[in-house]
Amino acid sequence: RISHLNTMMKLAITALLAGSAAAFAPAASKSSTTALSVGEYADELGTIAPTGFWDPLRLSSGIDQEKFDKYRAAELKHGRVAQLAVIGYVAPEIWRWGGDISPGIPYADIPNGLDAIDAVPFLGWVQIIAAVGIVDTKGYLGDFAAGKPDLEPEELAKRQLQELQHGRLAMLAFAELVRHDAADYGDNLITGLPFLY
């Protein structure tokens, strides 16, 4: 299992390095026939130094503003989910709910990380997936008027950029937590912080 994961990890790193190498290659002079070019999104929220507008797969090439906004909303949603996932990955290392997740299965018996996938009963996964699907498709828990701060446009843009950055960092952090857990470094998911254990 570890050998297979190491091979997959090496392939993923190689693919990432190959994709990022394109950022340093000289730009080819090529005429574009699309109505919108990547340059039109260079000033969008989320464009930050040192990468600027980073789109190595050119997903924004040839799309309209509506499609770009849809992609940005998906990035924001994935970032928020990743932030919750990181908390959900780390919190059980420190604290557990009292009671049972299912009749006869206490929360304390559910292992941390990837091992929890097999420990949660099938109907538990059905409930989780159904709840997420309903929220995502029906739009429940979407736009709340209460709790929205009344900010100046500059401050609002600053905070929206911070939220995007935090989400991007959380997506990377979650990927690293899964990689670390899959590599099986021992009983403790988080190593190097002895005060946790």
Side-chain angles (χ1 to χ4, degrees), residues 20-46:
S20 65
F24 300 102
S29 59
K30 180 179 171 184
S31 62
S32 175
T33 58
T34 59
L36 294 173
S37 66
V38 173
E40 291 190 41
Y41 300 114
D43 294 328
E44 288 289 331
L45 182 70

Side-chain angles (χ1 to χ4, degrees), residues 50-133:
T51 57
F53 183 77
W54 192 68
D55 184 14
L57 299 178
R58 299 192 48 79
L59 296 175
S60 64
S61 179
I63 63 171
D64 60 6
Q65 185 68 41
E66 182 180 348
K67 185 76 163 181
F68 180 83
D69 291 342
K70 185 177 178 182
Y71 286 166
R72 179 50 50 87
E75 179 187 14
L76 184 61
K77 183 188 293 187
H78 286 100
R80 289 172 177 171
V81 169
Q83 290 176 55
L84 291 172
V86 168
I87 291 170
Y89 229 103
V90 174
E93 293 284 322
I94 302 165
W95 179 81
R96 296 292 183 123
W97 289 101
D100 294 347
I101 190 171
S102 180
I105 304 174
Y107 282 105
D109 288 353
I110 303 295
N112 295 347
L114 296 176
D115 293 334
I117 293 172
D118 294 331
V120 174
F122 174 75
L123 289 178
W125 284 114
V126 170
Q127 290 174 353
I128 292 168
I129 293 168
V132 169

Side-chain angles (χ1 to χ4, degrees), residues 168-186:
R168 291 168 178 169
L169 179 61
M171 287 185 264
L172 291 172
F174 181 72
E176 172 55 22
L177 284 168
V178 170
R179 185 213 57 86
H180 187 279
D181 193 12
D184 195 18
Y185 287 109

Side-chain angles (χ1 to χ4, degrees), residues 151-159:
L151 301 171
E152 295 295 322
E154 298 83 25
E155 182 66 21
L156 179 63
K158 178 182 168 187
R159 291 197 186 180

